[in-house]
Amino acid sequence: MSYLFNPPPVQSLAIRGKSDRFPINRLFFVGRNYHAHAVEMGKPVDKSVERPFYFTKAPQTLVDSGSTVAYPAETQNYHFEMEMVIAIGKAGFRVSQDKAHEVIYGYAAGLDMTRRDLQLVARDKGRPWDLGKDVEHSSVCTEIVPMEGKILDQGAIALEVNGETKQSSDLNKLIWNVREIIADLSLFYHLQPGDLIYTGTPEGVNAVVPGDKITGRVAGVADVELTVGAAQ
Ligand code: MN
């Protein structure tokens, strides 16, 4: 078998303490999963009558923590979103909440970088979010930290830009927690090893400009960094 041109490389992340890398299958993102962020976006969530929703990004949008990425094209409002990331290590379909831990390989700290101006236009016109969310180099992620079978349901999550705190919250404020997300998402998708789930961002999202340095962390997991380079 030969291809007309070289196929795209498999995306992967380092694994803390291991020489093997974690190959990436799909990137899932939970929308509006902290109340204070949902409110700042003008879309409060009533969990009693709503279910979580998701969007995806291409695995090719993945970029290692510590990178410098160009300020992306066609936006005047490029936002950071600090998120805890679940790394799936086993296949699962219709996983019950009480078995959700069984599919977890580990966790990471990530940034869901967003062309907010384009996302809001899409949202308000009822269009897909791709131009706002599926942005090249927008899925920033640290190494995967192995924590097989462990549920993370509390711990600080925070982000600074140029050393100034912009986001500071706790995983215990997730509207849909890790068990609930895995149970719900696996109703729609056959989860596979290599899937990452970005679990949503707390309040305080805002714009960055070229030259800004983003630092963030999920306590007990990892620290994430990104430098915003010049516009292309
Ligand atoms: Mn997000």
Side-chain angles (χ1 to χ4, degrees):
M1 157 95 119
S2 66
Y3 294 105
L4 181 63
F5 49 85
N6 288 332
V10 172
Q11 300 294 313
S12 66
L13 291 168
I15 303 172
R16 183 177 295 170
K18 292 194 190 306
S19 55
D20 286 342
R21 292 180 65 86
F22 188 88
I24 301 302
N25 188 43
R26 291 171 293 189
L27 305 180
F28 296 105
F29 294 74
V30 184
R32 296 176 202 143
N33 204 17
Y34 289 81
H35 280 296
H37 172 63
V39 168
E40 77 182 346
M41 297 304 293
K43 300 284 182 182
V45 173
D46 179 354
K47 190 179 180 183
S48 70
V49 295
E50 293 181 56
R51 290 177 64 177
F53 73 94
Y54 311 94
F55 55 91
T56 60
K57 301 192 190 190
Q60 290 78 10
T61 63
L62 197 67
V63 64
D64 283 325
S65 172
S67 298
T68 297
V69 301
Y71 190 91
E74 297 298 322
T75 184
Q76 308 299 321
N77 199 20
Y78 196 45
H79 273 209
F80 53 80
E81 295 190 359
M82 180 69 215
E83 311 205 2
M84 184 262 280
V85 181
I86 307 167
I88 299 295
K90 292 193 176 128
F93 182 54
R94 297 175 180 154
V95 180
S96 63
Q97 286 188 31
D98 60 339
K99 292 192 170 175
H101 60 280
E102 294 178 2
V103 303
I104 294 174
Y105 177 78
Y107 294 88
L111 299 170
D112 168 19
M113 300 300 294
T114 300
R115 284 191 281 231
R116 187 73 71 202
D117 40 3
L118 301 192
Q119 183 213 357
L120 294 183
V121 166
R123 184 191 77 180
D124 295 341
K125 289 182 179 290
R127 294 173 178 166
W129 285 13
D130 300 50
L131 294 180
K133 285 293 194 179
D134 188 34
V135 178
E136 292 172 348
H137 309 303
S138 69
S139 303
V140 184
C141 199
T142 64
E143 62 185 357
I144 304 293
V145 182
M147 295 186 204
E148 280 188 79
K150 183 172 161 81
I151 296 290
L152 278 190
D153 53 14
Q154 60 178 353
I157 179 169
L159 177 145
E160 304 88 36
V161 177
N162 305 326
E164 183 181 335
T165 298
K166 299 290 187 180
Q167 295 188 279
S168 181
S169 187
D170 194 289
L171 300 178
N172 66 16
K173 293 194 167 71
L174 283 166
I175 298 172
W176 286 281
N177 64 28
V178 170
R179 288 189 185 280
E180 291 169 320
I181 291 166
I182 288 172
D184 187 77
L185 184 61
S186 70
L187 296 174
F188 300 93
Y189 293 92
H190 293 73
L191 296 180
Q192 296 292 332
D195 289 338
L196 299 183
I197 306 171
Y198 285 64
T199 53
T201 194
E203 71 277 17
V205 299
N206 215 324
V208 286
V209 296
D212 281 346
K213 178 156 190 186
I214 301 169
T215 52
R217 78 207 48 81
V218 178
V221 179
D223 290 23
V224 65
E225 290 186 10
L226 184 73
T227 301
V228 181
Q232 287 183 310

